[in-house]
Amino acid sequence: MNDHSDTLIQLALAEDIGEGDVTSRYFIPDERRACAFVAVRKDGVVSGVELAARVFSTVDPELDVEILIPDGSRVAGGALLIRVEGSARSILTAERTALNFLQRLSGVATLTARYVEQIKGTNTRILDTRKTTPGYRLLEKQAVVHGGGTNHRIGLYDRAMVKDNHLVAEGGPEAIQAAIGRLKSEQPEVEVELEADDLDQVHTFLTMDGVDYILLDNMTVDELAAAVLMRGERSKPKFEASGGITLKVLREIAKTGVDFISVGALTHSAPALDVGLDFETL
């Protein structure tokens, strides 16, 4: 699947460089060569290393770019991720764009790893959502995977997710069941998820055919546990807890037996991981 990263690199460089890097042009001699390292300043999980390396190579194909630590690695502050050698002008021109990609995606991976660590030892998995930066969806979802999380649907096309607004418009359980039947007949590979706001809806959805997932929206821990009991020994539909999820309550939710916990904050509120570029004297 195309992650549009080549286009994003070109767009990012165009908005930063514009008609030219005037600082490097006038203050850095054209013949000056340099060696620099991209380093993390704090502990974290890195993502976007390969993308950052491509930024340097896009600015100047003659740069010698070496990835020292791959994406998905857990690193300590001070770790060196990329080595770049060549034109000092080119390295400086590419620096900010490369670091922007790297700090953003590593922030997502690092935050995801914190959530995953919190539920270690349970059978629950952490999911992302579609609350991603426009244009960055596949990159941010890959960062979630680098942090140990699991991808939810990529877009509107790969899973039918019937939420409260759809339920109001659709016309009741019979109409929903009929719609599921049509979808499964025409596109059997597409999974179906229904959003439940209360246990009565959970009970209704458990009686339906073709339901792969039930999203348990903004339910209390007691309600989540009750929903899991209602399912009994069945392996499907899978249960996804969502809404108001924080690190503080995460493990308690996982212990109810839900299969997934979806967290929008992984991509819409992840703080950037501090990374920088350090030069060495040649």
Side-chain angles (χ1 to χ4, degrees):
M1 186 178 294
N2 184 4
D3 61 10
H4 307 293
S5 56
D6 289 337
T7 300
L8 288 171
I9 289 173
Q10 293 295 341
L11 287 171
L13 289 173
E15 71 180 1
D16 198 35
I17 299 172
E19 296 181 357
D21 178 358
V22 293
T23 308
S24 294
R25 182 187 304 166
Y26 287 98
F27 291 87
I28 305 297
D30 182 46
E31 68 279 5
R32 179 68 55 82
R33 291 181 58 81
C35 178
F37 291 89
V38 175
V40 292
R41 310 301 192 201
K42 294 183 178 180
D43 298 356
V45 177
V46 294
S47 182
V49 177
E50 189 272 338
L51 188 63
R54 283 165 54 199
V55 171
F56 287 105
S57 296
T58 299
V59 168
D60 186 349
E62 294 186 3
L63 289 175
D64 181 13
V65 183
E66 179 184 5
I67 293 175
L68 305 176
I69 297 178
D71 287 321
S73 301
R74 187 179 292 271
V75 297
L80 304 180
L81 306 180
I82 302 172
R83 179 184 180 277
V84 188
E85 184 174 344
S87 164
R89 282 187 179 183
S90 297
I91 295 173
L92 288 166
T93 297
E95 174 186 3
R96 176 41 53 199
T97 298
L99 296 183
N100 283 351
F101 281 119
L102 184 57
Q103 68 186 17
R104 168 62 187 158
L105 298 174
S106 295
V108 171
T110 299
L111 182 60
T112 301
R114 290 182 62 196
Y115 276 82
V116 171
E117 180 66 26
Q118 192 73 9
I119 62 169
K120 190 175 181 179
T122 73
N123 292 321
T124 304
R125 287 185 283 171
I126 297 296
L127 291 178
D128 54 23
T129 70
R130 287 167 49 235
K131 298 174 183 177
T132 54
T133 307
Y136 278 60
R137 178 163 298 171
L138 293 183
L139 295 176
E140 290 179 349
K141 282 184 171 286
Q142 185 60 56
V144 167
V145 172
H146 287 151
T150 300
N151 291 155
H152 204 298
R153 60 176 179 166
I154 302 299
L156 296 172
Y157 53 88
D158 59 332
R159 180 185 297 182
M161 190 166 178
V162 187
K163 306 188 79 172
D164 49 1
N165 287 338
H166 298 99
L167 294 174
V168 170
E170 185 57 35
E174 295 79 10
I176 294 171
Q177 183 66 80
I180 293 173
R182 291 194 301 272
L183 172 59
K184 292 292 186 177
S185 174
E186 296 177 10
Q187 299 190 64
E189 75 284 358
V190 175
E191 295 179 312
V192 173
E193 181 164 9
L194 304 181
E195 178 184 272
D197 295 326
D198 55 49
L199 293 177
D200 287 339
Q201 284 186 322
V202 174
H203 175 75
T204 299
F205 296 160
L206 284 172
T207 66
M208 292 184 174
D209 294 326
V211 179
D212 301 294
Y213 303 88
I214 297 177
L215 186 150
L216 308 173
D217 188 42
N218 283 299
M219 292 192 183
T220 66
V221 170
D222 288 342
E223 288 172 327
L224 293 172
V228 172
L229 285 175
M230 290 169 63
R231 183 176 59 180
E233 298 300 317
R234 298 164 56 181
S235 60
K236 290 183 71 173
K238 301 295 187 184
F239 282 155
E240 172 191 342
S242 182
I245 307 297
T246 65
L247 281 167
K248 184 177 180 181
V249 300
L250 195 66
R251 188 164 188 84
E252 193 174 5
I253 292 173
K255 289 167 66 176
T256 65
V258 295
D259 303 285
F260 303 100
I261 302 174
S262 56
V263 185
L266 300 182
T267 50
H268 71 58
S269 297
L273 185 66
D274 191 3
V275 296
L277 185 75
D278 301 318
F279 278 82
E280 282 195 349
T281 302
L282 286 178

